[in-house]
Amino acid sequence: MRNYFFRRFIQSLFTIFLIATVTFFMMRSIPGGPFTRERPVPDEIMRALNAKYNLDAPLIVQYFDYMKSLLTFNLGPSFSRVGVSVNKLIGLGFPATAKIGFLAVLLIILVGIPVGIVSALKQNRPVDYFVMFMATLGVTIPNFVIATLYIYLFAGKLGWVPSFGLRTPWAYIGPILALSGYSLSFVARLTRSSMLEVLRQDYIRTARANGLKELSVIGKHAMRNALIPVITYLGPTIALLMTGSFVIERIFAIPGIGRYFVESVSSRDYTVIMGVTVLYASFYVLMIYLVDVLYAMIDPRIRFDKEIP
Amino acid sequence: MSGEPLLEVKNISTSFFSHLGEIQAVRGVSFYLNRGDVLGIVGESGSGKSVTALSIMGLIEKPGKIKQGEIIFNGEDLMKKSQREMCELRGNEISMIFQDPMTSLNPVYRIENQMVEVIRYHNRNLSRKKAVAQAVEMLRLVKIPEPEKQIKSYPHEFSGGMRQRVMIATALSSNPGLLIADEPTTALDVTIQAQILDLMNDLRARINASIILITHDLGVIAEVCSRIIVMYGGTIMEAGNERDIFYNPQNPYTVGLHQSIPSNLAISEKRLVPIRGTPPNLMYPPKGCPFSPRCSYTMRICLEEAAPTIRLSDTHISVCWLLHENAPKINGYSKGKIVDRYKTPSGS
Ligand SMILES: Nc1ncnc2c1ncn2[C@@H]1O[C@H](COP(=O)(O)OP(=O)(O)OP(=O)(O)O)[C@@H](O)[C@H]1O
Ligand SMILES: [Mg+2]
């Protein structure tokens, strides 16, 4: 078991390394550079700039230099924002993004899962219909529509919440709802269907035949099995939410990381692209790793320590 | 051993109310079970055996409903009990094991966890340690090798036969008065089947439980059951002891079952004769005898009126018009007295 976790961990690190490498070379293969402008820049200035940022060295040398500094978590200087390091940029943007993301994740887990369970237990009753109606809306309405409507109604018409920024606790509600809307609905539906599926299983009938109370039948025997698909979905979703949504940060004017990322792509700000990509990738890989660990803990059938030679 | 019955089922009917209509899975079934006896229920797939068992357990779920009848267990009517009282009873005084041991244990918990939960649920004063010790003892009783070690296993690490043993061990851990085994060996291969049946028989003698053994295999029933009920289309066709059902079957359906089942010793040299046709649609059960569309002796009355219950001996009843005194005499079938449909024969 411990062996398996260790192996998976090394695999994860390797995946991040691969992503970094592929991104590095792909990024360099597209035309243009950080100092390309619409009006041609004089040659000597260009050369000086390239020399300053070491862009005139052979690509492979630049690659190794970058990887070396990556090992020390130094993401280098930004090209388009003079004097600001990528670490600094991430430090500026990431807290707001992560805060919204984290709260969205909490909302999904604390509301989506219980609602799904209740809905399953009350199958085909009014509560169930209501939940499924809301969840269907949540899955089908795009997040920017939710965001815009929300601002129009609660910030504009009613004036209950500010329409931008994160200055008061109330300001968090809109971004969180817009960010989590889809996943919240999806998790509620997934939990419901998974629960209904599990409740039909023979071992649930066994638990009942053994006289166990509904609390144990549902809370213990059904729950753990029903959560397996939910966890599979949640892993990558959490990574996605924690790294934020450019659209939502834009609509609510949240000083998050999304904006730097989008800007960096069009301005060929190589180091920012790399830094944010590596950050996203790390999150993703970490979450998938955690899902695997959780999996192995929840479902004994998925333990890989007995290797087939 | 006999005396007042442990269980009396009186005229129960259970239906499932689906979108398409009412599926009358069990229609007026009555029987009794004496203490220490093994009652066999046989019948084709869909004849209502499982639904009868689940009705006794109080485990009929939502679209299903027990429409009428009484289930007297130990002198108390189970139909009058609350859900909570039934929980106390289930797994404690009445236990049930199911057909498919591969899927009947929860895959994500250790055997120990599942057994101890049940043991302690029904005996709250027991310490965890003692409950584990008891679980180990039960596993030893059902002949799981190295039970102290094996109890830490997960279900997927066990074979089907071992899992069914675990099911039996759990079911018997609280010394139930009644064990209902719903096709406990159907999913297992033949050698394991025999072992499991032996084991159940052995345990019954040891802990003095009564057993209802459900199967569609007459051969299985012959060896262990003291009384046998033959079910078809949600009703009882014939009931009697082993000798009655095996050597003097008095219902065309029972005879058909005998001829269509390879494991039957009595006619093993003869060719197998399948019963023609298919079981009745329980959404629209036949007005008369449910077997009449497939029976070779069908008379007009069979199609129109439910057959009477005919008493042939102290132990033997058959539900069939052929045995009525006005029916033509047919070789192999005798005549008897009509008795009240819902009274079961006394003694055994
Ligand atoms: N939950 C349910 N919903 C609807 N119909 C049901 C349900 N359970 C059983 N039935 C119907 O009740 C009838 C009797 O089923 P039952 O399971 O008692 O048969 P059985 O004699 O146990 O057959 P088998 O040998 O296949 O187990 C069948 O026609 C079945 O379709
Ligand atoms: Mg059945």
Side-chain angles (χ1 to χ4, degrees):
Chain A
M1 186 81 143
R2 196 164 294 157
N3 226 329
Y4 164 68
F5 290 152
F6 183 69
R7 226 181 38 242
R8 280 288 288 108
F9 185 71
I10 299 299
Q11 270 174 16
S12 304
L13 289 183
F14 185 67
T15 310
I16 296 173
F17 161 77
L18 270 188
I19 293 174
T21 305
V22 170
T23 315
F24 185 90
F25 288 106
M26 281 189 15
M27 183 177 74
R28 293 310 183 88
S29 70
I30 33 177
F35 310 117
T36 321
R37 294 292 178 270
E38 269 166 38
R39 247 184 301 150
V41 181
D43 265 359
E44 50 283 26
I45 296 184
M46 190 62 125
R47 226 171 296 130
L49 278 170
N50 279 346
K52 175 166 186 253
Y53 289 103
N54 205 20
L55 288 173
D56 53 355
L59 196 55
I60 195 76
V61 173
Q62 291 184 42
Y63 169 71
F64 280 114
D65 283 348
Y66 184 80
M67 284 318 225
K68 233 185 293 164
S69 72
L70 191 59
L71 279 182
T72 60
F73 299 104
N74 177 8
L75 300 172
S78 164
F79 292 141
S80 57
R81 287 160 210 264
V82 182
V84 184
S85 73
V86 178
N87 291 47
K88 181 87 189 291
L89 273 185
I90 290 180
L92 281 176
F94 193 58
T97 298
K99 244 190 287 181
I100 299 290
F102 178 72
L103 291 172
V105 169
L106 268 191
L107 183 73
I108 290 171
I109 293 175
L110 296 182
V111 175
I113 294 177
V115 159
I117 291 171
V118 168
S119 192
L121 296 181
K122 303 274 175 203
Q123 193 195 4
N124 294 339
R125 308 246 197 96
V127 185
D128 181 33
Y129 289 136
F130 176 73
V131 168
M132 280 307 102
F133 176 72
M134 294 304 286
T136 309
L137 281 188
V139 176
T140 45
I141 301 182
N143 58 12
F144 58 86
V145 176
I146 299 182
T148 317
L149 273 179
Y150 177 88
I151 290 180
Y152 172 73
L153 207 69
F154 295 102
K157 286 262 158 189
L158 298 168
W160 290 351
V161 293
S163 63
F164 65 92
L166 290 176
R167 261 159 304 190
T168 67
W170 298 110
Y172 282 82
I173 298 175
I176 293 171
L177 283 181
L179 186 61
S180 65
Y182 176 86
S183 311
L184 179 65
S185 311
F186 193 85
V187 162
R189 291 167 64 98
L190 187 62
T191 308
R192 173 182 181 270
S193 63
S194 170
M195 192 71 178
L196 286 175
E197 176 65 31
V198 167
L199 286 177
R200 272 196 293 274
Q201 299 297 313
D202 287 347
Y203 53 83
I204 295 301
R205 192 183 48 186
T206 304
R208 294 210 169 103
N210 282 331
L212 301 182
K213 280 211 210 69
E214 280 304 285
L215 190 67
S216 164
V217 173
I218 307 293
K220 177 178 170 183
H221 289 270
M223 187 83 103
R224 192 148 160 186
N225 287 284
L227 284 185
I228 292 172
V230 180
I231 287 170
T232 315
Y233 171 77
L234 273 181
T237 303
I238 290 176
L240 223 61
L241 295 179
M242 293 293 286
T243 48
S245 150
F246 169 69
V247 175
I248 286 172
E249 289 179 2
R250 190 61 185 260
I251 295 175
F252 287 99
I254 294 164
I257 203 173
R259 133 179 87 126
Y260 298 130
F261 190 42
V262 173
E263 280 170 15
S264 70
V265 173
S266 48
S267 65
R268 303 281 189 280
D269 196 341
Y270 292 147
T271 42
V272 176
I273 299 179
M274 281 303 288
V276 178
T277 305
V278 169
L279 179 76
Y280 282 13
S282 308
F283 248 108
Y284 213 82
V285 169
L286 173 76
M287 285 318 298
I288 290 176
Y289 175 69
L290 283 183
V291 166
D292 281 356
V293 171
L294 258 182
Y295 243 20
M297 276 164 34
I298 285 190
D299 189 343
R301 287 165 301 182
I302 321 184
R303 288 185 185 166
F304 301 100
D305 41 355
K306 285 180 207 113
E307 276 292 296
I308 303 149
Chain B
M1 261 307 139
S2 57
E4 103 271 29
L6 175 70
L7 175 75
E8 261 184 288
V9 171
K10 295 184 181 170
N11 194 21
I12 58 164
S13 294
T14 302
S15 288
F16 293 91
F17 296 88
S18 73
H19 311 289
L20 299 175
E22 177 185 352
I23 300 165
Q24 305 178 28
V26 170
R27 301 181 291 140
V29 161
S30 309
F31 60 86
Y32 68 94
L33 172 66
N34 285 337
R35 267 171 227 284
D37 273 5
V38 182
L39 172 75
I41 302 183
V42 273
E44 270 169 281
S45 193
S47 55
K49 307 181 297 288
S50 298
V51 173
T52 304
L54 292 172
S55 302
I56 297 170
M57 292 292 287
L59 286 177
I60 294 292
E61 288 188 35
K62 250 187 282 171
K65 190 172 186 292
I66 304 179
K67 290 195 305 179
Q68 59 163 19
E70 284 171 61
I71 299 165
I72 314 285
F73 177 78
N74 258 338
E76 289 179 289
D77 190 348
L78 299 190
M79 305 270 292
K80 297 212 174 78
K81 288 200 179 274
S82 67
Q83 205 34 254
R84 187 179 194 164
E85 289 170 312
M86 282 308 286
C87 274
E88 303 273 314
L89 208 79
R90 279 199 288 268
N92 196 14
E93 290 174 56
I94 307 179
S95 289
M96 183 160 175
I97 57 176
F98 299 95
Q99 173 167 350
D100 195 350
M102 297 312 274
T103 53
S104 289
L105 287 163
N106 195 329
V108 303
Y109 292 106
R110 291 178 201 278
I111 303 290
E112 173 180 281
N113 182 321
Q114 301 187 45
M115 288 187 75
V116 165
E117 182 184 12
V118 175
I119 291 173
R120 291 191 73 192
Y121 177 72
H122 292 298
N123 189 349
R124 261 150 254 191
N125 305 325
L126 211 60
S127 71
R128 210 193 132 71
K129 222 165 152 190
K130 284 211 174 112
V132 174
Q134 191 183 333
V136 169
E137 260 338 285
M138 287 314 295
L139 289 181
R140 202 189 309 284
L141 208 60
V142 296
K143 305 205 173 70
I144 298 266
E146 297 185 85
E148 299 88 350
K149 223 174 95 196
Q150 298 278 24
I151 197 170
K152 302 276 186 217
S153 307
Y154 286 97
H156 71 278
E157 296 166 322
F158 277 9
S159 67
M162 299 250 281
R163 291 190 211 182
Q164 195 59 294
R165 285 166 200 270
V166 172
M167 295 292 294
I168 294 174
T170 313
L172 295 182
S173 59
S174 53
N175 276 319
L178 173 60
L179 173 67
I180 303 178
D182 189 355
E183 310 202 24
T185 60
T186 306
L188 306 173
D189 67 56
V190 181
T191 38
I192 309 290
Q193 275 186 16
Q195 288 174 13
I196 296 281
L197 285 176
D198 269 358
L199 177 70
M200 284 182 35
N201 218 4
D202 195 45
L203 291 178
R204 176 188 59 90
R206 202 184 295 205
I207 68 174
N208 193 22
S210 311
I211 295 180
I212 296 179
L213 178 61
I214 295 174
T215 168
H216 47 234
D217 185 351
L218 270 172
V220 162
I221 267 192
E223 301 174 15
V224 281
C225 297
S226 39
R227 279 188 53 72
I228 298 163
I229 289 173
V230 180
M231 274 189 80
Y232 183 78
T235 65
I236 289 180
M237 303 300 283
E238 189 169 5
N241 61 24
E242 188 204 335
R243 213 174 312 120
D244 300 328
I245 300 296
F246 278 87
Y247 300 103
N248 185 26
Q250 289 294 320
N251 192 300
Y253 178 65
T254 315
V255 174
L257 266 189
H258 277 306
Q259 288 172 346
S260 64
I261 285 167
S263 52
N264 181 16
L265 311 164
I267 53 155
S268 53
E269 298 101 57
K270 290 200 198 136
R271 290 190 49 193
L272 297 181
V273 187
I275 305 178
R276 292 173 296 130
T278 50
N281 179 350
L282 294 173
M283 203 102 76
Y284 310 100
K287 194 154 51 125
C289 168
F291 190 57
S292 55
R294 301 170 75 185
C295 183
S296 359
Y297 303 108
T298 312
M299 304 174 287
R300 183 161 355 113
I301 192 156
C302 300
L303 298 169
E304 279 167 9
E305 225 176 293
T309 303
I310 310 274
R311 154 132 312 144
L312 296 151
S313 74
D314 262 3
T315 56
H316 196 176
I317 58 159
S318 175
V319 182
C320 181
W321 279 114
L322 272 188
L323 313 185
H324 192 268
E325 49 197 12
N326 294 345
K329 174 93 185 99
I330 298 217
N331 230 355
Y333 292 93
S334 31
K335 303 283 177 199
K337 270 215 184 74
I338 298 186
V339 291
D340 181 351
R341 192 170 155 77
Y342 307 122
K343 283 253 172 63
T344 42
S346 56
S348 66

